[in-house]
């Protein structure tokens, strides 16, 4: 079923755990400015498939904007001010994204969140993201703010141990998910994206995670 944008504007925040809030459709009001800001970022720093430290090609294609960007290669996972392949600094974090993330974080109870890094993930139908923790940031007091665009996804939201059972959280175009506090290090991942064509975004899902990494 395709939910209309108007239905999504009516949706209420959903508290999924003590410090985890789903804000359905929260990004839709800023969608066009957000996409306008994303285009030059992705021209300057195109999506690419990074290698895991073990030498495997990641299924998700990545890019970054902000003072720091998350990278993975033979040297490991880390944040870097430059793209290790091009040697260039990442494109600046667009103001529209920083402000949207601050507002979403505040709605979820995290006041004063100012992102300095935005990881941009690109999923094609069939692409999945295996369970992991976001633990390369300096200070876990800051939440993660995730914006989903395009094809729907099923987000797996687990516990603090990899073996803990996971909940399945549908993430749709425009949804914003915020997790922090005691939920900050929960394992999470994304089930394979189902085939489809999103009316605005085409045959893809794009997820932006805004972080205070440094
Ligand atoms: C991530 O964990 O980096 C991305 C999550 C998502 O794509 O929803
Ligand atoms: Fe993550």
């Amino acid at each position: 079923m395709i939910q209309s944008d108007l239905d999504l504007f009516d949706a209420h925040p959903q508290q999924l755990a003590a410090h985890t809030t789903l804000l359905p459709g929260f990004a839709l009001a800023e969608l066009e400015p957000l996409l306008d800001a994303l285009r030059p970022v992705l021209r300057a720093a195109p999506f690419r498939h990074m290698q895991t430290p073990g030498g495997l090609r990641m299924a998700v294609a990545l890019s970054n904007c902000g003072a720091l960007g998350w990278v993975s290669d033979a040297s490991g996972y880390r944040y870097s001010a430059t793209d290790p392949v091009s040697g260039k600094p990442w494109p600046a974090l667009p103001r529209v994204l920083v402000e949207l993330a601050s507002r979403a974080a505040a709605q979820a109870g995290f006041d004063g969140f100012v992102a300095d890094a935005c990881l941009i993930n690109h999923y094609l139908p069939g692409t999945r993201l295996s369970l992991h923790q976001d633990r390369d940031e300096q200070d876990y007091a800051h939440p993660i703010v995730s914006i989903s665009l395009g094809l729907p996804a099923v987000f797996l939201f687990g516990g603090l141990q990899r073996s803990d059972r996971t909940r399945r959280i549908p993430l749709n175009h425009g949804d914003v998910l915020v997790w922090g506090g005691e939920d900050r290090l929960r394992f999470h991942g994304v089930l394979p994206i189902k085939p489809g064509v999103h009316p605005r975004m085409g045959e893809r899902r794009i997820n932006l995670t805004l972080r205070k990494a440094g």
Side-chain angles (χ1 to χ4, degrees):
M1 188 192 76
I2 296 177
Q3 223 178 348
S4 80
D5 287 1
L6 285 175
D7 291 338
L8 291 170
F9 280 128
D10 282 341
H12 297 295
Q14 293 169 28
Q15 184 104 22
L16 300 179
H19 295 113
T20 304
T21 306
L22 175 62
L23 302 166
F26 190 85
L28 291 177
E30 304 283 344
L31 183 65
E32 294 308 322
L34 194 158
L35 294 178
D36 287 345
L38 221 46
R39 261 176 234 112
V41 164
L42 293 170
R43 266 199 299 275
F47 286 118
R48 64 183 164 79
H49 292 273
M50 297 193 185
Q51 303 284 318
T52 66
L56 299 175
R57 177 185 193 261
M58 292 184 68
V60 175
L62 307 182
S63 184
N64 287 284
C65 55
L68 292 168
W70 187 86
V71 297
S72 175
D73 58 19
S75 314
Y77 305 127
R78 64 197 178 281
Y79 281 93
S80 170
T82 55
D83 178 343
V85 169
S86 70
K88 291 193 294 189
W90 300 105
L93 226 172
R95 182 189 289 257
V96 59
L97 272 177
V98 177
E99 290 179 353
L100 186 72
S102 295
R103 285 203 306 279
Q107 282 250 345
F110 298 97
D111 284 331
F113 176 69
V114 182
D116 62 2
C118 177
L119 171 63
I120 312 170
N121 287 329
H122 184 275
Y123 299 77
L124 291 170
T127 306
R128 65 191 282 269
L129 180 66
S130 54
L131 275 186
H132 65 279
Q133 293 170 298
D134 290 0
R135 52 184 313 156
D136 299 319
E137 299 75 23
Q138 294 272 345
D139 181 353
Y140 302 147
H142 304 290
I144 303 284
V145 176
S146 150
I147 304 172
S148 291
L149 300 173
L151 289 175
V154 177
F155 187 73
L156 293 177
F157 198 49
L160 299 180
Q161 308 293 326
R162 184 179 293 277
S163 56
D164 289 344
R165 75 172 273 280
T166 55
R167 290 164 68 183
R168 295 177 172 215
I169 299 165
L171 291 181
N172 292 301
H173 179 63
D175 288 355
V176 178
L177 181 66
V178 181
W179 69 95
E182 65 189 58
D183 300 324
R184 177 63 179 71
L185 289 176
R186 281 181 186 265
F187 278 86
H188 58 277
V190 178
L191 288 182
I193 302 297
K194 291 215 173 99
V197 181
H198 186 271
R200 183 68 183 84
M201 304 296 294
E203 200 175 11
R204 63 179 57 80
R205 171 174 188 258
I206 292 181
N207 176 265
L208 310 163
T209 41
L210 289 117
R211 301 133 187 265
K212 172 82 178 81

